[in-house]
Amino acid sequence: MQAKLSVNIGKLKLKNPVMVASGTFGYAEEFKAFLNLKELGAVVTKTITLRPRQGNLPPRTCETPSGMLNSIGLENPGLEVFIQEKFPLLKKTGIPIIISIASEDDPEEFVTLARRLDKIKEVAAIELNISCPNIRGKPHLISQDTHSTYEVVNRVRRVTEKTLITKLSPNVTDITEIAQAAEAGGTDAVSLVNTLTGMSIDINTRKPKIASATAGLSGPAIRPVAVRMVNEVYKKIKIPIIGMGGIIDTLSALEFFIAGATAISVGTANFINPKVSIEIIKGLQDYLIENNLKDINPLIGSLKA
Ligand SMILES: Cc1cc2nc3c(=O)[nH]c(=O)nc-3n(C[C@H](O)[C@H](O)[C@H](O)COP(=O)(O)O)c2cc1C
């Protein structure tokens, strides 16, 4: 017997609820030697911007207890090169491809990017990255303000009927207010969490270990924060949640479903074990069978508080 793993996110029908998180799987090409991409529920691409970005100066990553810091700074080839050079391979996989987009400093760029992507049939969904903590000179993120979140989501909503996912930051006082603003703006789903802002110091040089001083913390170290936030948001909104933050195996993925996530994304763990997402898909199947569940959907938000 096989349990049903398929879930819906807006118009998107996923054969299983396991995706790979933006920025941790490149444009899939980098991983095709390690796993059968066709088995994944979906791929979320590295965030792209309108123009190419070189990203931040090195060092841009360092290991921390049960996690890592990164300050890549949205390095990407820009929209048109992405479409010409990176998208063809992604398209060939036949699985849903979710394109993550961001703007350096102009919310109107989200609209321009979405308009262009809207014309490409094989783009399954658009993820609005309004929560990248690593853009220099930006004291506040869009996702740290309810009004700005509503505005960006709503402006993009008006130019595309593709499934719209809005990625939220954990670096806020109350993430539920931001999730509600995104829902009001017309997003089909929210994804959470992006990285937590952190800092690590080299005690010999007394300098930050990352050139940009602060950076985004990811990996198992942030998992309890992410699970808490998914559960808080689940209680306040009606649209689906894509949960992420420190998922490294089936057990950690299950926490997110029980907390309220309809699907999950695997990030930092891809760097340790590129096959981990496929292992989680099999592990979820086994868990459902062992627990006499025919379908993953009843597990979603089944937390006994
Ligand atoms: C090296 C690195 C690069 C990332 N780049 C992006 C990005 O371009 N866009 C984005 O939305 N999130 C980016 N993220 C955040 C992840 O998608 C994810 O939200 C976060 O790392 C938490 O999940 P994890 O603990 O499983 O890694 C990046 C994370 C890492 C570690």
Side-chain angles (χ1 to χ4, degrees):
M1 194 184 96
Q2 286 279 79
K4 186 171 159 277
L5 283 181
S6 57
V7 295
N8 295 339
I9 309 271
K11 288 181 201 152
L12 206 61
K13 293 190 189 321
L14 303 180
K15 65 176 181 294
N16 70 65
V18 180
M19 351 182 153
V20 283
S22 179
T24 64
F25 208 74
Y27 300 105
E29 198 169 353
E30 299 84 343
F31 281 77
K32 69 173 195 253
F34 300 105
L35 68 154
N36 182 1
L37 297 170
K38 289 187 195 310
E39 289 180 32
L40 292 169
V43 166
V44 186
T45 65
K46 170 76 188 162
T47 298
I48 55 162
T49 50
L50 203 50
R51 282 171 288 279
R53 281 177 64 90
Q54 291 195 321
N56 296 338
L57 290 173
R60 317 197 282 189
T61 60
C62 80
E63 217 173 308
T64 58
S66 298
M68 67 178 282
L69 283 172
N70 94 80
S71 179
I72 305 298
L74 297 186
E75 178 182 344
N76 79 95
L79 175 70
E80 289 307 324
V81 173
F82 165 78
I83 291 172
Q84 302 308 325
E85 294 177 15
K86 306 290 179 191
F87 195 61
L89 176 115
L90 284 161
K91 204 161 70 173
K92 246 198 263 163
T93 61
I95 58 171
I97 305 299
I98 300 169
I99 313 289
S100 169
I101 60 171
S103 151
E104 279 162 63
D105 45 25
D106 179 7
E108 193 55 32
E109 277 180 18
F110 278 98
V111 176
T112 310
L113 285 154
R115 268 211 181 100
R116 177 78 171 94
L117 294 170
D118 184 65
K119 296 195 177 76
I120 304 174
K121 190 170 88 291
E122 296 88 354
V123 171
I126 298 172
E127 182 168 272
L128 303 177
N129 177 7
I130 55 169
S131 50
C132 177
N134 299 324
I135 304 183
R136 251 178 308 156
K138 298 238 50 176
H140 299 295
L141 308 171
I142 294 167
S143 62
Q144 284 172 328
D145 180 73
T146 49
H147 179 70
S148 311
T149 299
Y150 174 87
E151 275 298 307
V152 168
V153 173
N154 196 247
R155 279 161 76 175
V156 174
R157 177 74 293 168
R158 280 186 250 146
V159 300
T160 181
E161 289 188 359
K162 289 207 191 273
T163 297
L164 205 57
I165 300 164
T166 305
K167 185 156 177 185
L168 306 184
S169 169
N171 303 306
V172 289
T173 311
D174 182 358
I175 197 166
T176 68
E177 288 181 355
I178 312 290
Q180 284 172 308
E183 183 178 40
T187 197
D188 294 299
V190 286
S191 60
L192 56 135
V193 293
N194 209 318
T195 53
L196 272 155
T197 306
M199 185 194 268
S200 210
I201 296 172
D202 180 329
I203 56 149
N204 295 314
T205 60
R206 297 195 202 169
K207 285 184 176 168
K209 287 187 184 167
I210 303 279
S212 58
T214 59
L217 181 65
S218 63
I222 72 167
R223 189 192 307 142
V225 178
V227 171
R228 187 256 298 175
M229 289 186 163
V230 166
N231 190 242
E232 284 176 350
V233 169
Y234 178 72
K235 290 184 205 150
K236 293 280 176 71
I237 63 172
K238 295 197 171 63
I239 52 176
I241 299 168
I242 301 163
M244 78 202 77
I247 296 174
I248 53 161
D249 55 16
T250 306
L251 298 186
S252 43
L254 283 164
E255 281 195 58
F256 281 83
F257 288 109
I258 295 167
T262 295
I264 57 110
S265 247
V266 178
T268 302
N270 290 312
F271 301 134
I272 302 163
N273 172 10
K275 289 194 182 72
V276 64
S277 305
I278 308 298
E279 290 167 11
I280 292 173
I281 297 164
K282 294 195 176 88
L284 290 176
Q285 186 59 253
D286 293 345
Y287 173 87
L288 293 176
I289 301 296
E290 278 160 24
N291 288 276
N292 293 319
L293 290 164
K294 293 191 183 80
D295 186 343
I296 192 152
N297 284 281
L299 196 67
I300 297 165
S302 62
L303 180 73
K304 294 177 187 165

